[in-house]
Amino acid sequence: MIEKVDCIVIGAGVVGLAIARSLAVAGREVIILEAENSYGMHTSTRNSGCIHAGINYPPGSLKNQLAIRGKNLLYQYCPERGVTHEMTGKFVVAIEDEDIPVLHELKEKANKNGLDQIYIADAGQIKEMEPNLNCAGALYSPTSGLIEPHDLMTAFLGDAENCGAVLAVNTKVLSGAIFEDFVELIVSGNPETKIRCGLCVNAAGHGAQKIAAAIKGISSETVPKQFLTRGCYFVMHGRKPFNRM
Ligand SMILES: Cc1cc2nc3c(=O)[nH]c(=O)nc-3n(C[C@H](O)[C@H](O)[C@H](O)COP(=O)(O)OP(=O)(O)OC[C@H]3O[C@@H](n4cnc5c(N)ncnc54)[C@H](O)[C@@H]3O)c2cc1C
């Protein structure tokens, strides 16, 4: 017998869990299919945990609107659900004098994005706020902050499960097909299983393109191209010299 469910969310990262939560809270039946043996094993726990203020996105863009709305929703949601976070504030630093015009450009962009609290801090303000910060100038964003992403995902999953959602781990989506009234997915297991749903959300992070390519009925032209880049984090031992980002 083929399993049927109202909604399937593929991927239990922060995006998939947020979507699953919204659907479940709205009364939909939800199964989250996750390839790993737990949630949040990929990008969602390997990031900077910064709550972005929405400074640097094109003014009026959807990304900008969502960044600002998301930030406000996070600052409301985190205290309600005990998610570790802090509105630390953030400096964007100009090391040399010649970098200072860039700060003014950023400030103008931020103001156009509706972020009126952002200001260019003078040397006195910078020394008072961060005595160890040596720079030519800095833009200060008071509403930027830090969050513990795993806490956030635990809260999202808890809310979703309280509304009946189910997380299926070790369940990798291998392929599928779109039919007129439903989407059929083939998931890993011994034997592999077919599962059908009315609504399927592909929130598989950097696995999303591969899944889209393996589902019959999705035109390759509609799948955004993947651009992989590599970054490095450094671990600093000892007392941190700064209180803000
Ligand atoms: C270095 C770095 C720093 C960042 N810093 C920040 C920051 O400070 N602030 C910020 O807001 N954002 C930041 N981001 C962006 C943010 O981390 C991502 O946008 C976010 O984590 C993406 O979440 P996701 O749920 O889409 O993907 P993921 O967390 O990758 O989740 C995808 C899930 O899908 C699962 N999956 C994949 N393929 C399958 C399959 N076939 N079947 C079933 N499951 C599957 C994976 O196992 C995974 O659990 C940063 C990103 C990077 C790379």
Side-chain angles (χ1 to χ4, degrees):
M1 202 182 78
I2 298 178
E3 294 283 342
K4 284 186 196 147
V5 62
D6 179 17
C7 309
I8 288 180
V9 176
I10 308 171
V14 72
V15 174
L17 292 172
I19 293 167
R21 175 189 177 276
S22 289
L23 289 167
V25 167
R28 307 285 297 260
E29 181 196 21
V30 183
I31 292 189
I32 310 156
L33 304 179
E34 170 52 52
E36 300 288 351
N37 63 7
S38 187
Y39 59 97
M41 301 289 278
H42 283 243
T43 316
S44 297
T45 42
R46 282 149 184 81
N47 59 44
S48 314
C50 173
I51 301 177
H52 293 296
I55 302 173
N56 202 15
Y57 305 125
S61 63
L62 183 61
K63 197 167 183 179
N64 167 249
Q65 291 168 37
L66 294 179
I68 294 174
R69 180 157 181 264
K71 174 188 70 178
N72 293 335
L73 288 172
L74 276 177
Y75 283 132
Q76 198 182 314
Y77 180 77
C78 289
E80 281 169 16
R81 300 290 282 106
V83 176
T84 310
H85 73 292
E86 193 184 343
M87 198 190 286
T88 54
K90 170 169 126 176
F91 279 113
V92 181
V93 172
I95 304 290
E96 311 285 350
D97 284 336
E98 65 193 26
D99 299 328
I100 288 180
V102 179
L103 298 183
H104 287 276
E105 281 167 29
L106 271 178
K107 180 178 179 294
E108 204 175 308
K109 206 188 242 186
N111 291 155
K112 279 192 190 146
N113 284 338
L115 301 168
D116 299 328
Q117 317 94 321
I118 285 195
Y119 60 90
I120 307 270
D122 62 34
Q125 285 169 315
I126 296 169
K127 269 285 158 242
E128 199 176 305
M129 292 164 83
E130 292 293 350
N132 293 316
L133 179 58
N134 296 313
C135 59
L139 181 74
Y140 185 60
S141 161
T143 62
S144 299
L146 287 170
I147 188 167
E148 178 47 66
H150 202 268
D151 272 14
L152 179 65
M153 284 185 279
T154 304
F156 283 163
L157 179 60
D159 289 349
E161 286 179 336
N162 281 342
C163 295
V166 173
L167 169 64
V169 294
N170 296 317
T171 308
K172 184 172 184 176
V173 174
L174 303 173
S175 60
I178 298 176
F179 295 87
E180 203 173 313
D181 298 332
F182 59 89
V183 178
E184 185 173 275
L185 299 175
I186 297 178
V187 300
S188 62
N190 194 10
E192 290 170 1
T193 312
K194 277 186 184 168
I195 181 163
R196 289 180 178 172
C197 61
L199 175 74
C200 176
V201 181
N202 179 359
H206 53 75
Q209 275 90 351
K210 197 173 171 192
I211 292 174
I215 295 181
K216 282 187 200 136
I218 297 181
S219 155
S220 59
E221 288 155 26
T222 63
V223 180
K225 285 209 165 39
Q226 194 168 49
F227 294 98
L228 297 176
T229 52
R230 180 174 177 271
C232 294
Y233 279 94
F234 296 91
V235 177
M236 202 199 82
H237 296 285
R239 253 173 82 99
K240 60 181 172 127
F242 308 117
N243 297 310
R244 296 167 183 79
M245 265 189 291

